[in-house]
Every structure is written in C-alpha cells, then in structure tokens.
Amino acid sequence: MVRILPMASSIRPSLSSLKFSGSSRFSVSLFSHNSTRKFTYFHLGTAVPQLQSFGLKASKLLREKGGSLSISAAGNMAHASTAATQENVLEWVKQDKRRMLHVVYRVGDLDRTIKFYTECLGMKLLRKRDIPEERYTNAFLGYGPEDSHFVIELTYNYGVDQYDIGSGFGHFGIAVEDVSKTVELIKAKGGKVTREPGAVKGGKTVIAFIEDPDGYKFELLERGPTPEPLCQVMLRVGDLERAISFYENAYGMKLLRTRDNPEYKYTIAMLGYGPEDTSAVMELTYNYGVTEYDKGNAYAQIAIGTDDVYKTAEAIKLCGGKITREPGPLPGISTKITACLDPDGWKTVFVDNIDFLKELE
C-alpha cells in the first residue's frame, strides 16, 4: 500500500515506571532481564496531548507557577492518572476489530514472481495497480479475496531488479495438505528447495523450505484444509519478551504459544488475532545472544486493519512505539492510515477498516 523504507529501532519504556522530577521532563527507567537503564524520554509537554486525547484534562495534572510548570504537588495523582490512561488505551486496543490484511515486500521482476506464485504455490493474482507518477507497480496475490484473507502485496520499483533481504527477515509460511507433492511440483517448475520434506526438528509436523526467484524463503507446513493457507510471517527480534509485550499491548495480538529450542539456541513466539490453524500469525524468533539484525531493503511491512487509526497511533506512542507516519488520509485515495516501528525497527501500517473495503470496490 505504501512504500516506506525500514528505519532505526526504538526503545519501549514502561509507563508504570515513569518518575516525575522537578523539571518539565519525565525520567523513565527501563528494566530488562539483565540490566537497568535510565533515559530522559520526552518532554512533559508532548505527553499532555496524548493524555487529553483519552479524556484527561491537563489542568488536573499541571498548574502554572511563575511562568514555569510545577508538578511536584500533584505527582502522585499524575502518576495514578497516567496508569489509568494506559489501562484505558490497552483495553480499547483489545476491543478494536483488527486483522492482518497483507504483507508488503519488493521484487525485481514482477511478472516472474507472479508466475512462480501462481504456478508453483497455487496463489491467485487478485489485482494489479500501476502508479507511473511514483514509478512503481503493485500486485496482490493470495488464496482468497482481500476482504477476508491475508494476502501478499508485491512492489516493483521501476528499474530496480535486485534487493538485499538482510538477516532479520525469516520466511513466510504456507499451509499445504501434502508437502512432498508441493515440493515435487516446485522442482518441476525449476524452483529452489533449500530443505527437503521431513519432520520439524523436535516435533512431528512435516515441513520443507523453498526460495522464490528473489530469494525470499517460504516454509511449507503440512496441515489439513485451512481457510488461511498464507499463515505465517517470521521475523527475528533482539529481545523476545520486549517484542511480545509490544505486540500484545500496542498491536492487540494474543500470545498463542512459545517454544524454546536450547539445543539449537533459539526461542519462538507465535502471536496473532486468531488460532494458528485458521488465521495468519506472526512468528517472532529470538536467537540466543543476538540483539540486532540487518533488515536490508527488500521486506517492507505488514498491514493491519483497525477501526480508528488515530487511537491506534496514540496507543502505539504510549507503548513506546515510533510513529513514522502520523494518522490521516493518503493523498489521492483518502484511505486513512498510520505507520509505526516496533522496538526492533520492523514496520507496520494500520489501515482504516471501512476505507480499506472502499478501496477494494
């Protein structure tokens, strides 16, 4: 939907640990499992509008004294009000109607990729749109209509035939009824198989790995019939507990399960808006001791539907996320969106649910 290059990661403060000082800044303590750090995170003046937008009056927290802000007398009340505001925001996020809409990434030859996805992976080309004034073309592919299925949005930028995938992106997951037959078809079409069919390490599920023409990895998972074959997006993160907390609180996802693999030194967490067997989910992977990854310039973002992009942006800010595009309508099509980065720098775009459906008409 939009083309925004990945940006630097941000830090997620715990609002419950906000401490007031005599100045107009908050002093924020950030705690992790192995360290304690303190940062001056933002001016109080930037926090007040966020509180006001959820029904709190700044006048209850602040009073003017000699032209300067004094909050010492109301410190306890302000601390309690901040905690109450955060609770209200998180409750709204849980009630918001959210769904993973599509995943966006860049390819060097649009026709070649469409051919591979339709002939080898069984996807359907849902629609294409060319934006010559911006010099790019989009193609949407998937296993069902966009108004009810998680789909892929491919982006071809005029004249760019190669991208760096980086080490942070992992793979996409596709559920198939027979992994071995799917692999045979892909081989017959000239596709690249990087892991032959077999049981997953430490489990019973039959899987295989393949690569598309641009080098994106796909994990094939053997399952029975499912309404959502395009079922996973795997990204690597540097702090799994931090990432889980952010995706639960800011994005409203549910933690479905975690699995630790000490033999291979990694842990995964599955999060989403519904069960794994019927919904698309995020698979976040933490490799022991690795805190940063090269994100390259190929993978772009996921898009998530929301009933209110403005409230969504406020919730993300209060959870420590970085807003890269303030909420509002896109020029030309009037679809309201907001874009943000998670604590690891992975980008997500939230799209107004009603505007999204209108865009599909």
Side-chain angles (χ1 to χ4, degrees):
M1 177 166 295
V2 291
R3 298 182 300 125
I4 312 173
L5 291 176
M7 297 177 67
S9 61
S10 56
I11 300 172
R12 183 183 64 83
S14 171
L15 290 182
S16 62
S17 64
L18 293 178
K19 298 179 181 179
F20 293 97
S21 65
S23 70
S24 62
R25 288 178 178 262
F26 283 131
S27 176
V28 181
S29 295
L30 303 178
F31 298 95
S32 65
H33 62 280
N34 57 4
S35 66
T36 301
R37 291 172 289 180
K38 182 175 285 188
F39 297 86
T40 299
Y41 187 62
F42 47 68
H43 286 86
L44 182 62
T46 63
V48 173
Q50 295 175 14
L51 301 179
Q52 286 178 318
S53 67
F54 285 94
L56 292 178
K57 298 293 185 180
S59 59
K60 292 183 179 179
L61 302 181
L62 308 176
R63 56 189 173 85
E64 295 286 345
K65 181 179 289 185
S68 62
L69 293 173
S70 175
I71 63 173
S72 57
N76 291 336
M77 184 177 70
H79 183 89
S81 298
T82 300
T85 300
Q86 184 187 30
E87 184 177 350
N88 292 340
V89 175
L90 299 183
E91 185 58 34
W92 176 83
V93 170
K94 292 178 183 178
Q95 301 302 320
D96 190 22
K97 294 183 177 65
R98 297 189 175 183
R99 178 177 73 86
M100 289 172 62
L101 303 178
H102 47 254
V103 59
V104 186
Y105 52 100
R106 303 169 182 90
V107 297
D109 186 326
L110 194 59
D111 291 336
R112 178 186 64 184
T113 304
I114 291 172
K115 179 179 175 68
F116 182 84
Y117 287 6
T118 55
E119 294 184 0
C120 296
L121 300 179
M123 296 184 192
K124 295 179 180 179
L125 176 61
L126 304 172
R127 63 184 171 110
K128 290 176 70 175
R129 67 180 178 196
D130 186 40
I131 315 293
E133 61 272 19
E134 297 290 336
R135 297 181 57 78
Y136 75 91
T137 305
N138 291 134
F140 296 79
L141 297 100
Y143 295 97
E146 291 179 66
D147 60 359
S148 58
H149 288 73
F150 183 56
V151 307
I152 288 171
E153 178 182 340
L154 301 176
T155 296
Y156 169 71
N157 292 298
Y158 293 6
V160 183
D161 60 6
Q162 191 172 356
Y163 293 94
D164 174 20
I165 293 177
S167 59
F169 170 78
H171 61 260
F172 304 113
I174 296 180
V176 299
E177 294 186 40
D178 191 321
V179 168
S180 295
K181 285 187 177 180
T182 303
V183 167
E184 289 176 7
L185 173 63
I186 291 169
K187 286 181 177 179
K189 296 288 185 178
K192 181 179 180 180
V193 177
T194 59
R195 184 197 188 277
E196 293 291 338
V200 65
K201 295 175 181 177
K204 297 181 180 179
T205 303
V206 176
I207 67 168
F209 276 91
I210 66 163
E211 284 187 9
D212 76 359
D214 288 274
Y216 291 101
K217 290 183 172 62
F218 284 79
E219 180 182 14
L220 306 178
L221 302 100
E222 192 159 282
R223 293 180 182 173
T226 174
E228 195 71 281
L230 182 60
C231 58
Q232 292 179 5
V233 177
M234 192 277 260
L235 301 175
R236 298 182 177 92
V237 298
D239 185 327
L240 190 58
E241 291 183 5
R242 179 186 66 180
I244 290 172
S245 178
F246 184 82
Y247 277 72
E248 285 181 316
N249 295 324
Y251 291 1
M253 292 186 180
K254 294 180 180 180
L255 176 61
L256 304 173
R257 64 183 174 95
T258 60
R259 187 179 79 235
D260 186 39
N261 294 274
E263 181 181 356
Y264 299 102
K265 297 184 178 181
Y266 73 91
T267 307
I268 65 168
M270 312 297 288
L271 299 102
Y273 298 109
E276 285 183 67
D277 58 345
T278 59
S279 306
V281 302
M282 297 297 300
E283 178 181 343
L284 303 181
T285 298
Y286 169 69
N287 292 300
Y288 292 6
V290 183
T291 59
E292 293 184 5
Y293 293 93
D294 172 20
K295 295 177 178 61
N297 62 356
Y299 174 85
Q301 72 243 357
I302 60 167
I304 297 174
T306 176
D307 282 343
D308 192 322
V309 297
Y310 299 94
K311 285 185 178 180
T312 293
E314 294 295 343
I316 290 167
K317 291 175 184 178
L318 287 171
C319 290
K322 181 177 181 180
I323 298 296
T324 58
R325 188 190 192 283
E326 291 294 333
L330 285 169
I333 60 175
S334 299
T335 298
K336 293 184 288 295
I337 72 164
T338 189
C340 70
L341 300 179
D342 74 5
D344 287 276
W346 294 115
K347 183 174 19 178
T348 299
V349 174
F350 285 85
V351 184
D352 182 90
N353 284 323
I354 294 176
D355 290 348
F356 178 69
L357 295 177
K358 290 180 179 178
E359 190 178 324
L360 299 178
E361 292 177 352

